[in-house]
Amino acid sequence: MNAFPNATVVQHPLVQHKLSLLRRKEVSTAEFRRLVREVSLLLCYEVTRDLPLEKVDIETPLEHMKAPLLAGKKLCFVSILRAGNGILDGMLDLVPSARVGHVGLYRDPETLVPVEYYLKLPDDVAQRLVIVVDPMLATGHSAAAAVTRLKEAGAVQIKFVCLLTVPEGLRVMQEAHPDVMVYTCSVDRQLDEHGYIRPGLGDAGDRIYGTK
């Protein structure tokens, strides 16, 4: 992992256990969706570890005190459609007040080049920590394109969260956006000739939504 200073692999036992369950081909759509949501909540805990706090005055049932609350603007989660919405749900369970943006990208099946078809972000995205979510960081081209669009929109603090990635995808992200940290459950072996992660877990979007 020294070759990828932009990557953090979340090694928590619950994360690794649930990832192994996600990989199994016999897992039903409903179970897969539930597991993605659970893993996403745990990843959200990790990616928000360094959020700034400030002391504010509150009243407990017994007395007055200064207590820590999150400082500054709320987070912004940006989902790369459509599969990113599976991770978004778990993130919002933990941070329900976060703003949400969407980037619509699809990968051309012949060239593997990302094509944008939708972009909707909060107006003040430049003032927020932006956490981009997509289950798979495979070739890295879609993720890099999404982050580029976010920077063009003014975002300056960006992190990227995925379930799985590979060295190929991490290299692309590191070269395009060395300032963006990637949080993942695993760095898998490689991409195959179709751009799928091996051993991976299949097509995350199809498995979340029960499509082919």
Side-chain angles (χ1 to χ4, degrees), residues 26-53:
E26 67 270 19
V27 170
S28 68
T29 298
E31 180 72 359
F32 190 90
R33 190 181 299 137
R34 182 183 65 80
L35 285 165
V36 168
R37 192 169 188 142
E38 291 175 353
V39 172
S40 301
L41 191 150
L42 294 168
L43 288 173
C44 186
Y45 178 85
E46 188 65 31
V47 75
T48 57
R49 181 182 293 275
D50 57 354
L51 290 179
L53 294 170

Side-chain angles (χ1 to χ4, degrees), residues 3 6 11 17 31 33 35 45 51 54 70 87 101-102 174 176 186 188 199 207:
N6 65 325
Q11 298 283 5
H17 171 78
E31 180 72 359
R33 190 181 299 137
L35 285 165
Y45 178 85
L51 290 179
E54 62 181 350
L70 291 177
I87 292 184
H102 293 90
Q174 186 169 280
S186 175
D188 277 14
R207 297 195 69 188

Side-chain angles (χ1 to χ4, degrees), residues 175-188:
E175 290 172 5
H177 302 289
D179 58 322
V180 175
M181 181 63 69
V182 176
Y183 293 78
T184 186
C185 304
S186 175
V187 180
D188 277 14

Side-chain angles (χ1 to χ4, degrees), residues 132-148:
V132 184
V133 297
D134 196 9
M136 317 297 275
L137 177 58
T139 67
H141 297 306
S142 293
V147 171
T148 296

Side-chain angles (χ1 to χ4, degrees), residues 66-88:
K66 285 190 174 293
L69 289 177
L70 291 177
K73 290 279 190 179
K74 298 294 190 295
L75 299 173
C76 176
F77 296 127
V78 174
S79 168
I80 299 180
L81 299 173
R82 65 182 167 141
N85 283 354
I87 292 184
L88 176 64

Side-chain angles (χ1 to χ4, degrees), residues 18-194:
K18 291 177 186 296
L19 174 61
S20 295
L21 298 179
L22 279 170
R23 291 186 188 272
R24 297 184 306 173
K25 65 180 182 180
E26 67 270 19
V27 170
S28 68
T29 298
E31 180 72 359
F32 190 90
R33 190 181 299 137
R34 182 183 65 80
L35 285 165
V36 168
R37 192 169 188 142
E38 291 175 353
V39 172
S40 301
L41 191 150
L42 294 168
L43 288 173
C44 186
Y45 178 85
E46 188 65 31
V47 75
T48 57
R49 181 182 293 275
D50 57 354
L51 290 179
L53 294 170
E54 62 181 350
K55 291 292 184 69
V56 300
D57 294 315
I58 69 168
E59 294 288 338
T60 78
L62 300 176
E63 65 181 62
H64 172 87
M65 70 170 291
K66 285 190 174 293
L69 289 177
L70 291 177
K73 290 279 190 179
K74 298 294 190 295
L75 299 173
C76 176
F77 296 127
V78 174
S79 168
I80 299 180
L81 299 173
R82 65 182 167 141
N85 283 354
I87 292 184
L88 176 64
D89 292 341
M91 297 277 181
L92 288 172
D93 283 345
L94 194 61
V95 192
S97 61
R99 301 298 188 267
V100 176
H102 293 90
V103 180
L105 296 169
Y106 69 88
R107 188 173 60 177
D108 186 285
E110 299 297 327
T111 65
L112 302 184
V113 173
V115 179
E116 180 186 318
Y117 63 89
Y118 185 79
L119 180 69
K120 185 72 171 179
L121 302 170
D123 292 335
D124 57 353
V125 69
Q127 302 172 45
R128 300 177 185 274
L129 169 61
V130 177
I131 299 175
V132 184
V133 297
D134 196 9
M136 317 297 275
L137 177 58
T139 67
H141 297 306
S142 293
V147 171
T148 296
R149 292 294 284 117
L150 288 169
K151 288 182 175 180
E152 290 172 352
V156 292
Q157 289 184 283
I158 303 173
K159 297 182 180 183
F160 188 91
V161 175
C162 59
L163 299 177
L164 294 179
T165 187
V166 284
E168 297 95 320
L170 286 175
R171 275 193 288 271
V172 168
M173 277 293 284
Q174 186 169 280
E175 290 172 5
H177 302 289
D179 58 322
V180 175
M181 181 63 69
V182 176
Y183 293 78
T184 186
C185 304
S186 175
V187 180
D188 277 14
R189 186 179 69 250
Q190 67 186 66
L191 293 177
D192 65 18
E193 64 274 17
H194 303 294

